[in-house]
């Protein structure tokens, strides 16, 4: 089964860790709007794709043998101290070096997949970094007044309420970003496509703001599954109900249809409202216990994998 997971950061890591227990043919399509931390520094200094979310996806998909675990640990290691390397992850620097030598970010990621023993691929949603801006309310004396916030980190940490996001190519012309052709092809060729979990406005929705990728997600014959977050994210989605996440998804991509919505049973206070919102997208709702018991805000990979398998089994029953 060919699976594609779209997202970024810890949310994408969760979906990839679960998918590994379902199939070995996985493609991760990763956001490239990060402008903070080590990724932001490399992006500004070298003009390269922000490598952090790409690195995280590579690490979680690395081979499970001793060599793979060692490389994954090294890849994720961050330098301490106060010097020029402080805060940089080894994997970020390796990706920067490979990009300097090879030039093509897709070739860089394919080569790194071979190094780490990844079965599948990690692809950027765009071959060039993108800029993000959002309309936010609740920051002015008039709580309904809209302020435009620019930058992924600023949007993710805003104390206001995000209403809408936009993406632009990093050329100052406010042009729409161009999707990586390999990512578009992967979505068209997939048997199952996952959106979420993750930072809703800055990791999940950005894929729908890239025209070719949005069109592929709308047109693909793959089984499209949305995985909801376990808790609202401070800033981005503070106070959001589970069904509001789906409403925002629909607002940003009105033509998108979904086959299944997966959510943690304990995180859904009004299941009937979620089922109604999912039905508006054409989706069935699956509720199960998918949170890590000791970390309620994180998905447990085995439980999420079982829930994904159940959703796909329903699809297979329909095909039969």
């Amino acid at each position: 089964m060919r699976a594609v997971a779209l997202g970024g950061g810890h949310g994408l890591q969760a979906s990839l860790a679960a998918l590994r227990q379902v199939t070995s043919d996985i493609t991760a399509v990763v956001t490239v709007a990060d402008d903070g931390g080590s990724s932001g520094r490399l992006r500004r200094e070298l003009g390269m794709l922000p490598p952090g979310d790409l690195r995280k996806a590579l690490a979680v998909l690395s081979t499970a043998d001793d060599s793979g675990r060692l490389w994954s640990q090294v890849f994720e290691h961050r330098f301490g101290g106060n010097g020029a390397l402080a805060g940089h992850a080894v994997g970020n620097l390796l990706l920067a070096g490979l990009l300097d030598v090879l030039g093509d970010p897709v070739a860089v990621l394919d080569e790194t997949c071979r190094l780490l023993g990844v079965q599948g691929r990690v692809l950027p949603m765009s071959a060039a970094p993108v800029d993000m801006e959002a309309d936010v309310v609740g920051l002015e004396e008039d709580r309904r007044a809209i302020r435009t916030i620019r930058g992924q980190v600023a949007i993710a940490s805003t104390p206001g309420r995000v209403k809408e996001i936009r993406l632009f190519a990093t050329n100052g012309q406010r042009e729409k970003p161009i999707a990586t052709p390999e990512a578009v092809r992967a979505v068209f060729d997939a048997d199952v496509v996952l959106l979420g979990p993750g930072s809703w406005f800055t990791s999940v929705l950005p894929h729908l703001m890239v025209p070719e990728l949005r069109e592929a997600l709308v047109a693909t014959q793959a089984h499209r599954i949305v995985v909801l977050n376990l808790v609202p994210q401070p800033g981005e989605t503070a106070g959001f109900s589970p069904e509001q996440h789906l409403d925002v998804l629909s607002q940003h991509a009105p033509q998108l249809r979904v086959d299944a919505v997966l959510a943690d049973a304990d995180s859904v206070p009004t299941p009937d409202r979620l089922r109604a919102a999912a039905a508006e997208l054409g989706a069935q709702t699956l509720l199960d216990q998918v949170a890590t018991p000791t970390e309620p805000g994180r998905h447990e990979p085995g439980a999420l994998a079982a829930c994904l398998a159940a959703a796909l089994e329903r699809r297979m029953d329909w095909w039969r």
Side-chain angles (χ1 to χ4, degrees):
M1 183 185 67
R2 294 165 297 185
V4 174
L6 302 100
H10 295 298
L12 181 59
Q13 284 183 302
S15 60
L16 294 176
L19 278 174
R20 284 194 64 164
Q21 301 184 39
V22 179
T23 179
S24 60
D25 191 343
I26 303 170
T27 299
V29 179
V30 185
T31 56
V32 289
D34 192 4
D35 59 357
S38 170
S39 289
R41 289 163 61 191
L42 291 169
R43 172 179 171 167
R44 289 187 293 274
E45 292 173 15
L46 302 177
M48 65 176 288
L49 287 175
D53 287 348
L54 296 163
R55 184 198 79 244
K56 290 175 181 145
L58 288 161
V60 77
L61 289 176
S62 62
T63 184
D65 60 20
D66 290 343
S67 175
R69 282 191 293 269
L70 174 61
W71 271 110
S72 178
Q73 181 181 357
V74 171
F75 215 63
E76 290 286 75
H77 176 73
R78 286 188 185 274
F79 292 102
N82 300 308
L85 292 179
H88 279 303
V90 172
N92 288 357
L93 299 177
L94 177 61
L95 291 171
L98 278 169
L99 187 60
D100 215 27
V101 173
L102 298 178
D104 177 7
V106 173
V108 165
L109 291 163
D110 285 343
E111 190 62 38
T112 309
C113 283
R114 284 189 283 273
L115 173 67
L116 297 176
V118 170
Q119 291 182 310
R121 299 184 85 180
V122 173
L123 297 168
M125 70 177 188
S126 174
V130 300
D131 292 329
M132 182 181 297
E133 70 177 32
D135 290 338
V136 179
V137 296
L139 298 176
E140 310 290 350
E141 185 174 345
D142 178 357
R143 306 297 287 178
R144 296 170 297 176
I146 295 174
R147 183 191 297 182
T148 299
I149 302 294
R150 294 180 175 84
Q152 187 267 342
V153 171
I155 295 167
S157 58
T158 180
R161 183 159 183 158
V162 180
K163 303 293 287 184
E164 181 182 351
I165 63 162
R166 293 173 292 276
L167 292 188
F168 301 104
T170 309
N171 58 11
Q173 302 302 310
R174 296 181 68 82
E175 297 171 348
K176 294 291 186 183
I178 298 173
T180 307
E182 293 84 352
V184 173
R185 177 48 52 195
V187 170
F188 273 118
D189 290 345
D191 298 307
V192 58
V193 172
L194 262 64
L195 272 171
S199 301
W200 213 245
F201 284 98
T202 55
S203 289
V204 178
L205 293 181
H207 296 280
L208 300 172
M209 300 295 97
V210 182
E212 301 94 340
L213 203 50
R214 180 178 63 248
E215 291 165 9
L217 287 165
V218 168
T220 183
Q221 296 300 303
H223 193 60
R224 287 163 291 209
I225 300 176
V226 171
V227 183
L228 291 179
N229 293 335
L230 299 167
V231 294
Q233 182 175 358
E236 278 196 40
T237 55
F240 271 40
S241 65
E243 55 269 20
Q244 281 178 292
H245 288 73
L246 298 184
D247 292 342
V248 169
L249 188 71
S250 181
Q251 290 165 16
H252 283 77
Q255 293 179 305
L256 179 68
R257 309 304 291 167
V258 177
D259 297 286
V261 172
L262 308 188
D264 181 70
D266 294 337
S267 302
V268 181
T270 53
D272 287 344
R273 290 183 184 176
L274 178 61
R275 291 189 183 97
E280 288 290 321
L281 294 172
Q284 291 185 324
T285 301
L286 284 92
L287 301 178
D288 209 336
Q289 307 290 333
V290 293
T292 301
T294 56
E295 295 182 86
R298 289 188 179 273
H299 288 83
E300 201 286 309
L304 182 56
C307 199
L308 288 171
L312 295 172
E313 183 61 29
R314 289 191 184 188
R315 176 72 164 180
M316 292 301 294
D317 288 343
W318 181 82
W319 280 341
R320 294 188 190 105

